[in-house]
Amino acid sequence: MAWAPEARTAAVRGADGTTLEVLRALGSGPRGLVEEEAEERLARHGENTFPGRRPDSWPRRFARSPRDPFTAVLLVLGLVSAAVAAWGTACVIAVLVLVSCVLRTTGEHRADRSAAALRDLLATTATVRRRATAAAPPLTRELPVDQLVPGDVVLLAPGDVVPADLRLLRTTALTVHEATLTGESAPVGKSVDADRPADGSGDGGSPALPLGHPHLCFQGSSVVSGSGSGVVVATGADTVLSGALPRAGGRPRPPSPFDRSVNGIAWTLIRFTLLTAPLVLIASALLRGRGLETLPFAVAVAVGLTPEMLPVVVTAALARGAALLARGGEVIVRRLPALHDLGAVDVLCVDKTGTLTEDRPVLAFCEGPDGRADPEVLRWAAVNALWTLHLSELPVPDALDEAILDAAEGVAEEAAEESGPEGGRFEEFEGIDALPCGPGRRLSTAVVRPPGDPRFALAARHTLVVKGAPGDVLDRCARAAGAELDAAGRERLARRAGELAAEGLRVLAVARATCPARSRPYTPADERDLDFVGFVALSDAPAPTAAEALAVLARHGVDVKVLTGDHPGTAARVCRELGLVPGEVVTGERIDALDDAELARLAARTTVFARCAPEHKARVVRALRAAGHTTGFLGDGVNDLAATVAADVGICPRDGVDVVREAADVVLASKDLTALDRAIVAGRRSTGNIAAYLRIALSSNVGNVIAMLVAGLLLPFLPMLPAQVLVQNLCFDAAQLALAFDRPGPGAHLRPALLRPRALLRFVTGFGLLNAVADLATFGVLALALRSMGEAEGQSAFHAGWFTENLLTQALVMLLLRSGRHAAEGRVPGPIRLATTALAVVGLLLPLSPLGPPLSMTPLPPLYYGLLALVLVVYGLLLAAARARQPSPSGV
């Protein structure tokens, strides 16, 4: 999935040129299209609806679901169990296959429905201006949204949802909420003026980003206040919003780390399972002359090689971790394998706003014309902010004004102690009039009466306090610091404002002027001959837990990268404040100039990507994945959808846009990286438990199979009967389920944890051979202890002796290998103690119980138990020594 280039091209095409040029290019005009021409365009461009493909039916999806290797392993196990008449095991496996297929089908079906959720963001009708004929006057009427075509003139009013991508023709104090597209909570002012805002704030889009153009409105955004009209420049698949949808035949989502790991393990098991049974049959036929009578034993050996409880343990471990996270209401894991993928994440990509910052500005500092700190600048800025908010009918309070007032409150007592005719608290001024900011107007003016000034005397004076974009304010200033402000001085101050903006600060200039009091209203024409007071610099407020969370993520081996549409200086400054070294900031324009291989190399060493369009974010995420990183992405707007789906783990806060939340694998209660770190730790612990099960189960099974093959070739009888093999496997399986509830050692969460089939194979091979050596030693012990018995009695005793040894060594392996190198750290959890104790008890008592004779097992002589204890001690010492030399299992 990617943000469609054609959608961005259509939007940018509508941004280029003057209004007249755009109308001419579209073959339209302010009076709207003729009905006949609109019908022809509808046939040519199609309806204004989201593109999509016909989703597969639920039964069709269900029929395709068993095709993955993991389900294939389960099916093979079911067939093998049925072949040896183990109907209980076959039924259990059939249920597991059914549940797996149902869950997979339901998940895919829900993912298709998530795209349909975007339709809820659209209006059903739009107010359109059209003409019956070329000579007829224009008529305004309601039209179904899907009938809109490029060139239609649409009227906007408060509460309307923008029905298509528009180039604005007329605006009156128009503000639009674009959270659906950007995730930003503050409304955006719109104007016909094609110039990009240049308030020195460091924000705004780049030429490649259509969302940065104030004279464009985009489908899915909503009108907060004001009114306007615009010409449709893009509909249907060409809109920016629909560009976030998956395309039919487009780039499919690559398999997740969990899928790759499980598939690798599953194919390994398939190969061993399919190889073992023929090998046993051929060896028995060549060396012992046995025929098909050994088939049940060969099948039992194949069953014994495969960990039947793998799907149960995986599901139990992941479900337990997800339940612990959900219990606190902070993290919801929507797809269980995503918890494993979270534990494997080594690169986390985040947006800046709302994640690293609180989506609100705070005062950084104030400085006078000479560049020195000056509290008077804040005082006058607060006077402007206070009375602009009180006297203007603003749809939403300006966040910069609120930040200035919050800062001024903190120094109000100091301001009240200052002397002079204009001293005192900023609240003591009396508001007279206000000229607020608006579309195309980047400054505000508050007209106030100073405290103590006579109200009706001839000498009464009013003070105009002006605050806004540095360039606009400086153009109206005549003096600074009591001296005339010439062109060189104005250029020096403008250069200083640019330097502050380049550092990622939002810069506002403050000026004032005093004039005789009057009763008539003030107008923008009165904003002249001002005295420059100074600059107010504001920055984004860092999230309270962001710095701590970034430090913890770094200690856990997670590299955080910031992908934002903001100004490079703004993003770099926030990173520095939070202790994250920004390094060289890469912009979207540079990303466009790189191929995938070059971008992968650049992304690996870059921390901050600024001026990013949605496709830039998705490309960076894919580049990181191509470089071998397990990548998570945290986003909440439609502009984050492409990157969310491209990541190994898509993460969305609960208040994110519906379609992004539906596409995400993990949902956070809030944009709190601390909660995400806890989820990563939970994922690593769950993966550690799964890895421990695989190490223990496979190494024990491989050792047993090797021993069975050797014994089958050396002994004149089967070393273990098929029924005994299945009972042994049943005991192993029941005990190993306790590993899903293990508590990994304290160091298990410090590094990314990923199930790696090759590393697992090396581990299993080494410890499987060690297990086989213990089994072969047991054969020698049995030969010594049972030499006085008869043939029939000796065979039953041999079966009982090896059965007992297998269960005891399995219990020993569970205790020593459950947490890799750190098995001895901490107490053994209750479930593990119970499981290993039960294994030992069954292994020792089953041959002595009434169930022993039906399973062809007889009691063993006391000499065997003494020699077996010696074998177990030596095996335990060798196992501990080998474990101590084994690398940390975090990569297994």
Side-chain angles (χ1 to χ4, degrees):
M1 178 185 293
W3 193 277
E6 61 271 20
R8 187 181 66 173
T9 301
V12 174
R13 183 173 63 245
D16 293 338
T18 65
T19 301
L20 181 59
E21 290 171 344
V22 172
L23 287 171
R24 285 178 176 174
L26 292 169
S28 182
R31 298 195 304 161
L33 295 174
V34 177
E35 291 287 356
E36 183 179 356
E37 173 66 17
E39 291 177 2
E40 292 178 1
R41 294 190 182 192
L42 182 63
R44 185 165 66 250
H45 293 278
E47 293 186 346
N48 180 33
T49 57
F50 283 129
R53 54 181 175 81
R54 183 182 180 87
D56 291 332
S57 63
W58 199 93
R60 185 181 180 89
R61 291 183 184 278
F62 183 80
R64 289 205 315 261
S65 58
R67 294 189 303 179
D68 67 284
F70 188 57
T71 307
V73 170
L74 295 179
L75 289 173
V76 169
L77 289 175
L79 294 175
V80 168
S81 300
V84 296
W87 301 114
T89 302
C91 291
V92 170
I93 291 175
V95 171
L96 290 175
V97 171
L98 179 64
V99 171
S100 174
C101 293
V102 169
L103 291 177
R104 179 182 297 272
T105 304
T106 303
E108 292 178 354
H109 189 61
R110 185 186 298 117
D112 264 357
R113 289 207 320 266
S114 68
L118 274 178
R119 299 182 185 275
D120 297 335
L121 302 175
L122 298 183
T124 56
T125 62
T127 305
V128 180
R129 185 182 296 155
R130 281 187 180 178
R131 295 171 289 160
T133 63
L139 297 177
T140 299
R141 65 188 182 92
E142 292 292 316
L143 192 72
V145 166
D146 58 10
Q147 300 300 302
L148 289 180
V149 296
D152 264 328
V153 175
V154 176
L155 307 184
L156 300 175
D160 286 350
V161 176
V162 179
D165 289 354
L166 308 177
R167 166 67 184 261
L168 293 173
L169 303 176
R170 177 192 60 80
T171 62
T172 302
L174 181 64
T175 59
V176 175
H177 202 281
E178 293 183 338
T180 296
L181 297 163
T182 65
E184 301 287 345
S185 58
V188 179
K190 296 291 182 178
S191 67
V192 180
D193 185 8
D195 291 336
R196 191 175 307 282
D199 58 0
S201 67
D203 292 334
S206 70
L209 301 178
L211 296 179
H213 294 278
H215 54 290
L216 294 178
C217 280
F218 301 96
Q219 184 183 49
S221 55
S222 58
V223 178
V224 177
S225 64
S227 61
S229 64
V231 60
V232 175
V233 296
T235 60
D238 290 335
T239 63
V240 170
L241 180 61
S242 64
L245 286 173
R247 303 285 171 171
R251 185 195 303 265
R253 183 169 184 172
S256 69
F258 179 83
D259 295 331
R260 294 194 300 268
S261 299
V262 170
N263 287 349
I265 295 170
W267 281 116
T268 301
L269 296 179
I270 289 175
R271 295 186 185 99
F272 272 103
T273 301
L274 296 179
L275 179 65
T276 301
L279 184 62
V280 172
L281 286 175
I282 293 173
S284 297
L286 292 178
L287 298 180
R288 290 292 175 182
R290 299 171 184 149
L292 292 179
E293 66 271 13
T294 60
L295 178 60
F297 174 71
V299 172
V301 170
V303 172
L305 178 64
T306 309
E308 296 92 337
M309 297 299 289
L310 178 58
V312 179
V313 171
V314 167
T315 302
L318 295 178
R320 180 171 179 265
L324 292 176
L325 290 173
R327 189 176 302 168
E330 295 180 341
V331 181
I332 303 298
V333 180
R334 300 183 65 252
R335 182 177 62 87
L336 278 184
L339 189 59
H340 163 272
D341 298 342
L342 266 180
V345 163
D346 59 349
V347 174
L348 176 65
C349 299
V350 301
D351 193 7
K352 176 185 72 67
T353 305
T355 303
L356 302 180
T357 64
E358 287 192 314
D359 199 12
R360 67 178 180 88
V362 293
L363 181 71
F365 59 84
C366 298
E367 67 178 36
D370 57 358
R372 298 179 181 179
D374 187 353
E376 277 293 293
V377 180
L378 176 60
R379 177 169 171 253
W380 287 112
V383 170
N384 172 282
L386 177 66
W387 291 109
T388 300
L389 290 174
H390 281 191
L391 299 178
S392 302
E393 296 182 358
L394 299 176
V396 179
D398 186 87
L400 299 181
D401 284 343
E402 291 187 327
I404 290 172
L405 290 175
D406 289 342
E409 287 286 351
V411 296
E413 294 183 2
E414 180 182 348
E417 296 175 358
E418 294 184 2
S419 59
E422 297 180 344
R425 296 171 59 89
F426 68 91
E427 300 98 329
E428 295 178 357
F429 288 85
E430 180 183 354
I432 304 298
D433 198 1
L435 303 174
C437 293
R441 175 178 163 81
R442 300 180 297 166
L443 52 80
S444 65
T445 297
V447 183
V448 298
R449 179 182 293 112
D453 202 54
R455 181 173 301 205
F456 301 109
L458 293 177
R461 311 284 287 176
H462 287 168
T463 300
L464 281 73
V465 185
V466 182
K467 170 175 61 64
D472 291 20
V473 174
L474 287 172
D475 288 343
R476 293 164 171 79
C477 290
R479 290 168 300 279
E484 292 295 324
L485 186 62
D486 55 13
R490 189 173 287 106
E491 182 181 355
R492 176 181 60 82
L493 292 174
R495 186 166 57 251
R496 174 57 178 163
E499 293 172 354
L500 295 177
E503 294 177 5
L505 295 168
R506 302 184 185 187
V507 185
L508 298 174
V510 182
R512 60 175 178 157
T514 303
C515 63
R518 68 186 189 208
S519 58
R520 67 179 177 83
Y522 286 85
T523 67
D526 298 312
E527 298 166 338
R528 57 185 175 82
D529 199 26
L530 305 176
D531 291 323
F532 179 73
V533 177
F535 292 121
V536 175
L538 301 104
S539 61
D540 291 332
T545 60
E548 175 189 358
L550 290 175
V552 173
L553 287 170
R555 289 198 298 270
H556 289 171
V558 178
D559 186 15
V560 176
K561 297 184 183 295
V562 180
L563 279 60
T564 178
D566 282 347
H567 186 279
T570 303
R573 181 182 183 86
V574 169
C575 291
R576 285 193 295 268
E577 290 178 352
L578 296 175
L580 191 65
V581 180
E584 180 187 4
V585 180
V586 174
T587 63
E589 293 180 357
R590 185 174 176 187
I591 293 175
D592 287 333
L594 301 175
D595 60 27
D596 291 344
E598 293 171 334
L599 180 58
R601 291 191 293 270
L602 179 64
R605 62 177 186 269
T606 302
T607 300
V608 180
F609 297 85
R611 300 291 200 203
C612 286
E615 67 266 29
H616 295 143
K617 296 181 180 181
R619 278 199 67 198
V620 170
V621 169
R622 287 195 294 266
L624 290 168
R625 294 189 65 181
H629 296 285
T630 304
T631 307
F633 183 85
L634 173 59
D636 61 353
V638 173
N639 60 326
D640 297 321
L641 181 58
T644 300
V645 176
D648 290 306
V649 187
I651 308 161
C652 179
R654 185 170 54 190
D655 56 356
V657 176
D658 288 347
V659 67
V660 182
R661 193 169 61 247
E662 285 294 320
D665 303 305
V666 178
V667 177
L668 304 180
S670 62
K671 289 186 183 179
D672 187 355
L673 291 180
T674 304
L676 184 57
D677 176 73
R678 287 192 287 271
I680 289 174
V681 170
R684 293 179 180 180
R685 288 174 174 168
S686 297
T687 301
N689 288 345
I690 296 171
Y693 165 77
L694 288 170
R695 291 194 304 268
I696 292 169
L698 293 180
S699 59
S700 297
N701 292 355
V702 167
N704 286 335
V705 167
I706 293 175
M708 285 183 182
L709 290 175
V710 174
L713 298 178
L714 298 179
L715 298 176
F717 56 88
L718 293 178
M720 190 174 289
L721 300 180
Q724 296 167 352
V725 174
L726 295 177
V727 171
Q728 172 186 278
N729 290 341
L730 179 63
C731 295
F732 286 177
D733 293 341
Q736 289 163 356
L737 184 60
L739 293 169
F741 305 92
D742 194 8
R743 291 196 301 267
H749 62 278
L750 295 180
R751 290 192 294 172
L754 182 65
L755 297 175
R756 302 185 187 276
R758 291 185 179 180
L760 180 65
L761 183 60
R762 289 194 298 269
F763 187 101
V764 167
T765 301
F767 283 87
L769 291 174
L770 186 59
N771 184 274
V773 170
D775 287 343
L776 294 176
T778 303
F779 295 164
V781 168
L782 287 169
L784 181 62
L786 306 179
R787 57 185 177 180
S788 60
M789 291 186 178
E791 180 178 351
E793 186 181 6
Q795 291 184 17
S796 299
F798 185 95
H799 295 156
W802 195 20
F803 181 89
T804 299
E805 185 265 350
N806 275 336
L807 267 61
L808 293 178
T809 53
Q810 175 72 11
L812 193 61
V813 167
M814 286 183 63
L815 288 174
L816 294 179
L817 296 187
R818 66 178 184 87
S819 298
R821 295 180 60 183
H822 304 285
E825 298 176 359
R827 294 188 308 110
V828 177
I832 302 294
R833 290 200 307 272
L834 289 176
T836 53
T837 300
L839 271 180
V841 170
V842 171
L844 291 171
L845 298 184
L846 184 60
L848 306 177
S849 72
L851 295 177
L855 292 174
S856 301
M857 291 189 288
T858 60
L860 295 160
L863 175 62
Y864 168 74
Y865 293 104
L867 295 175
L868 178 61
L870 179 61
V871 171
L872 292 177
V873 169
V874 174
Y875 176 59
L877 293 175
L878 292 176
L879 199 64
R883 183 205 63 206
R885 300 184 60 182
Q886 185 70 21
S888 174
S890 60
V892 175

